Amino acid sequence: MHSDPKDCLYCTNNETLHNLMIEICPLSVSRVFLFKEQTYHGRCLVAYKDHVNDLYELSDEERDAFMKDVTRVTRAMNKVFNPEKINYGAYSDKLSHLHFHLAPKYVDGPDYGGTFQMNPGKVYLSDAEYAEMADAMRKALSED
């Protein structure tokens, strides 16, 4: 499936996007978001800066830069949230804009040892808590 950028959640930067996640910051070739649904404490998403449908469409240099951004975000997540493991998900069945879901997993936490749920709809935080998490991620990203 190939989507039109004018219909893309990430490209239009619309209210639906802002209802789902909070933009933390731009990186070299991507944008970093904090999911509002926080069943997986610290869950983030990294979206490629341009409307690209799949990883294979990038040049080697673009792919390497994107994966460097993804790695940079997971290092910051590890520092800020100290998960046991971070799960990566690159699902684009319904939204073909290159992005990675980054779901921290904790030994005694939800779905440890299994696949994370896309949107369990269980854990939402206060605006102050989101701001604190986003600020901690910005700080950790700036130190990397």
Side-chain angles (χ1 to χ4, degrees):
M1 174 185 149
H2 292 271
S3 64
D4 188 322
K6 72 177 187 292
D7 299 324
C8 175
L9 181 71
Y10 302 102
C11 294
T12 58
N13 205 28
N14 62 24
E15 184 179 351
T16 303
L17 175 72
H18 298 289
N19 287 336
L20 291 171
M21 53 193 99
I22 299 161
E23 188 160 2
I24 294 173
C25 65
L27 295 178
S28 67
V29 296
S30 63
R31 297 163 63 198
V32 182
F33 297 90
L34 177 70
F35 254 67
K36 286 188 177 179
E37 204 296 325
Q38 283 288 305
T39 292
Y40 310 100
H41 181 72
R43 183 174 174 189
C44 292
L45 182 139
V46 180
Y48 194 69
K49 65 180 175 80
D50 298 323
H51 190 75
V52 173
N53 293 295
D54 207 305
L55 195 60
Y56 70 82
E57 295 176 12
L58 299 177
S59 69
D60 290 349
E61 294 78 19
E62 291 167 330
R63 180 207 57 231
D64 291 350
F66 179 64
M67 294 311 294
K68 184 176 180 181
D69 281 356
V70 170
T71 302
R72 191 171 162 204
V73 173
T74 57
R75 284 183 180 140
M77 290 170 67
N78 191 59
K79 182 176 183 178
V80 172
F81 306 114
N82 196 32
E84 180 70 22
K85 181 74 172 99
I86 296 173
N87 287 183
Y88 298 71
Y91 311 110
S92 297
D93 296 348
K94 295 182 180 180
L95 175 60
S96 59
H97 182 115
L98 178 60
H99 63 284
F100 273 68
H101 295 266
L102 305 172
K105 300 292 267 313
Y106 304 88
V107 173
D108 294 323
D111 302 311
Y112 187 78
T115 306
F116 68 89
Q117 298 175 54
M118 188 54 65
N119 191 0
K122 297 176 183 174
V123 179
Y124 292 91
L125 308 175
S126 69
D127 289 344
E129 290 169 310
Y130 290 128
E132 183 179 326
M133 292 173 78
D135 287 345
M137 282 295 294
R138 279 186 207 98
K139 182 176 189 250
L141 286 163
S142 71
E143 295 169 350
D144 185 40

